[in-house]
Each structure stands twice: as structure tokens, then as C-alpha cells.
Amino acid sequence: ADLGIKRKGTIYLIINEIKKLEAKHESPVTFIEHSPYCFGKIVDYLRLKSAFCNGLISVDPPRPTVRQSEKQRFRRIVDYYF
């Protein structure tokens, strides 16, 4: 496969950098392929709930308020993960 690289040693440098990145990120990565809006609402709620359970805030957080256009998607994500 021709990568379009002309200078000698460039491939070595690229491979070396890739290996560094792989070593840095050896732990498994989970990709969330859902709406960033919905995922953000869930993460925000979980952060607040954790703070409440650890005594950092005194009020139990309400469930997230989700805009109408995202409610069906939000429900699917919650049902799938929880």
C-alpha cells in the first residue's frame, strides 16, 4: 500500500508514535455511539447523584429534564444501559 510518504524514516517515526499512543491507552475504551445531548444529561445526573450520596450536596437531584425532540432517544438509551 502506498501511503504517499517519501522521506526515509517517516514510517518509523509514525509507527513509534502509534506505539506510544497504544501504550498510553492500554486500558479498554468504551465508545458511546449515542446522542451527545442525551449522554450529557445522563452523566450530569450521575455526577449530581454521586455528590448527593457522598454528602457533598444536601438535595437529591431531580431526574434530568430532556427537551421534547430528544425524549424518545433518551428513553431508548436509558432502557438500554440501565
Side-chain angles (χ1 to χ4, degrees):
D2 182 17
L3 301 175
I5 298 171
K6 306 295 182 209
R7 289 181 41 198
K8 291 183 180 182
T10 302
I11 291 290
Y12 169 79
L13 294 173
I14 291 171
I15 291 171
N16 192 33
E17 291 302 314
I18 290 171
K19 286 180 181 178
K20 285 181 191 176
L21 286 171
E22 287 173 343
K24 187 176 180 182
H25 299 286
E26 285 182 355
S27 61
V29 175
T30 302
F31 291 102
I32 306 296
E33 295 180 6
H34 293 284
S35 162
Y37 171 83
C38 293
F39 185 71
K41 290 287 188 176
I42 293 167
V43 170
D44 289 344
Y45 174 75
L46 293 174
R47 286 179 182 144
L48 289 171
K49 191 70 170 176
S50 175
F52 173 74
C53 290
N54 288 302
L56 300 173
I57 58 175
S58 59
V59 178
D60 194 6
R63 291 186 177 175
T65 303
V66 180
R67 62 182 173 221
Q68 188 63 37
S69 62
E70 295 287 335
K71 284 189 178 195
Q72 184 177 5
R73 181 177 290 131
F74 183 82
R75 173 57 37 206
R76 275 197 314 263
I77 295 169
V78 169
D79 289 345
Y80 180 81
Y81 286 104
F82 303 98

